[in-house]
Amino acid sequence: RVHDLLVDASNQLMFVELNGIAIDREYLRTLSEEYLRRINDIREDIQQLVGWEINPNSLLQVKKQLLAYRVRVDSTAVDTITSLIEKVDGNDKYIDLLEFCQLLLKHRREAKLYGTYLKGTTKRLYRGRVYPTFMLHGTTTGRLACRNPNLQNVPRESSIRKLYVPAKDGYVFVQVDYSQAELRNLSFLAKDQYFRNIFNRGDRDLFDELTPVLYPAARRNQLSSAQWKELRIRIKAYVYGLSYGRTEFSIADEYNIPVSEARAGMRAFFEVIPEIVAFRDKVCQHVLNGNYLETPFGRRRRFGLITDQNKKEIMNEALAFLPQSTSSDMCLRATTWAR
């Protein structure tokens, strides 16, 4: 059953790869120049702040500067820097350290966007198009993956998305998707009540209802449409992070909010979905007992030796496997039916 599904999907995706997707080349050049200017400006701001020509991409140089602020860290990863920001935020004694960390994260984000979606696209451009590769076995969670470039993970910034254009005049992009597929699958698998009641009604907005749960002080009639929309976007980070064990640190970093705020939101969220919380614990224990996981489509995920070093990563993979693989295979089956 699994084999036949994957063969059908492979035959269909072959045509997507061969056709590729068109790129607005003039816009690509303009946006690349803009991002390079922005990255250079941030770098100059960092150097002006610290007083020497530091390379924000250098692990050793960043550690050296943190030592100058009397901070010793083993890592300069995003979670570490975000946690550091949370500790010193609001303390005037550490205002330079706070600004340094904030600029460092800003530089990393802009540099990543440039390297992945602008420089990377330029390198792979051929006759005005890029030709991505889709991988049926490209992830440990069992979902479809894409690379060179990864068109399944284009950031929500409209400036990046505008790179991709219809190939001919009169053509348009059409988006078709299952609404909240992973969450619906997770709700089904966990026998959850909270989400299921909302989904079964059909006229209730999940994120509007969750916003006052995670942000009790938020009142829609007191916020502008832009402010309410921003809160909804944050709520989605909590909801969709259920499938892969997302932490409060990564949410705080992405949305530039205090870790304490993200942690409080996570706690409030888990209180209304006890069945899903219990299901997540059950899945983790099932894997720790040496068992494999199996989806309704018949895909199985086995796990090797679990140690203190890889336990967190494997638990995240286990939590992601069932809802992500099931949702992906639903989309793959729909794609083969649509031929």
Side-chain angles (χ1 to χ4, degrees):
R1 189 159 56 105
V2 176
H3 170 270
D4 291 347
L5 167 64
L6 296 179
V7 170
D8 283 346
S10 179
N11 289 337
Q12 182 68 7
L13 290 170
M14 172 179 63
F15 295 102
V16 181
E17 294 179 343
L18 290 172
N19 283 324
I21 187 168
I23 300 293
D24 185 333
R25 285 176 282 186
E26 183 59 36
Y27 179 65
L28 173 61
R29 285 191 290 269
T30 302
L31 193 61
S32 296
E33 292 171 358
E34 178 184 328
Y35 262 81
L36 285 173
R37 283 195 298 271
R38 283 156 57 175
I39 293 169
N40 186 62
D41 288 344
I42 298 171
R43 186 167 182 158
E44 288 181 355
D45 288 343
I46 294 175
Q47 292 175 352
Q48 184 175 359
L49 174 68
V50 301
W52 61 289
E53 293 188 5
I54 183 175
N55 178 3
N57 298 316
S58 169
L59 171 65
L60 293 178
Q61 292 186 25
V62 169
K63 282 188 173 183
K64 176 184 175 181
Q65 183 57 41
L66 289 174
L67 278 174
Y69 293 124
R70 298 182 180 181
V71 174
R72 185 184 297 274
V73 294
D74 296 326
S75 164
T76 60
V78 169
D79 285 358
T80 303
I81 301 300
T82 303
S83 179
L84 189 55
I85 290 174
E86 168 67 12
K87 290 178 181 178
V88 302
D89 192 14
N91 190 333
D92 292 341
K93 181 181 176 181
Y94 299 102
I95 190 168
D96 286 344
L97 170 61
L98 177 63
E99 186 177 355
F100 174 71
C101 292
Q102 290 173 334
L103 286 171
L104 184 64
L105 291 183
K106 186 177 180 181
H107 181 274
R108 286 186 181 177
R109 176 169 173 75
E110 297 294 290
K112 180 175 175 60
L113 289 173
Y114 170 75
T116 302
Y117 296 102
L118 301 175
K119 184 178 180 180
T121 296
T122 302
K123 286 171 56 179
R124 297 178 177 89
L125 200 60
Y126 178 70
R127 294 183 177 178
R129 298 191 183 205
V130 290
Y131 298 84
T133 299
F134 289 92
M135 298 168 289
L136 294 169
H137 301 289
T139 67
T140 56
T141 57
R143 61 174 175 78
L144 185 68
C146 180
R147 66 182 179 190
N148 297 327
N150 183 0
L151 296 184
Q152 292 184 203
N153 196 33
V154 179
R156 61 187 179 92
E157 283 91 341
S158 60
S159 61
I160 299 292
R161 295 199 170 201
K162 284 161 58 177
L163 285 171
Y164 311 102
V165 295
K168 298 179 181 179
D169 291 339
Y171 281 40
V172 296
F173 287 138
V174 176
Q175 177 176 298
V176 182
D177 192 15
Y178 287 113
S179 176
Q180 294 134 10
E182 288 185 18
L183 188 58
R184 291 174 187 267
N185 276 308
L186 178 59
S187 181
F188 165 76
L189 293 167
K191 298 180 174 58
D192 157 74
Q193 294 295 322
Y194 181 80
F195 287 133
R196 186 168 62 177
N197 290 337
I198 295 175
F199 290 143
N200 285 345
R201 280 287 301 272
D203 59 349
R204 295 166 64 182
D205 186 286
L206 170 66
F207 303 109
D208 278 350
E209 296 204 18
L210 271 175
T211 298
V213 173
L214 274 66
Y215 291 92
R219 296 291 182 271
R220 187 162 191 174
N221 59 357
Q222 298 175 356
L223 299 175
S224 68
S225 58
Q227 290 173 322
W228 186 261
K229 181 179 180 180
E230 181 61 30
L231 280 182
R232 280 174 55 89
I233 292 172
R234 290 187 200 175
I235 299 301
K236 290 181 180 181
Y238 293 96
V239 173
Y240 295 134
L242 279 175
S243 297
Y244 56 93
R246 188 169 192 185
T247 67
E248 61 267 34
F249 296 104
S250 66
I251 292 175
D253 171 61
E254 180 174 354
Y255 297 99
N256 195 28
I257 60 176
V259 175
S260 58
E261 178 183 331
R263 185 178 293 119
M266 191 82 74
R267 190 182 304 114
F269 181 35
F270 280 3
E271 287 178 356
V272 298
I273 52 169
E275 294 90 355
I276 291 179
V277 173
F279 174 75
R280 284 158 52 96
D281 292 341
K282 181 180 177 181
V283 167
C284 290
Q285 191 58 54
H286 186 73
V287 172
L288 289 172
N289 290 340
N291 301 304
Y292 63 78
L293 300 175
E294 183 171 356
T295 73
F297 280 90
R299 284 201 197 228
R300 291 180 178 179
R301 173 75 169 96
R302 296 173 174 85
F303 300 87
L305 179 66
I306 301 176
T307 67
D308 290 339
Q309 288 71 37
N310 68 10
K311 180 180 177 180
K312 181 178 179 181
E313 180 182 354
I314 288 180
M315 292 302 99
N316 288 345
E317 291 178 5
L319 292 174
F321 175 69
L322 291 172
Q324 285 193 11
S325 177
T326 304
S327 301
S328 178
D329 284 345
M330 288 171 61
C331 290
L332 286 177
R333 175 54 71 199
T335 302
T336 61
W337 285 346
R339 280 185 299 199

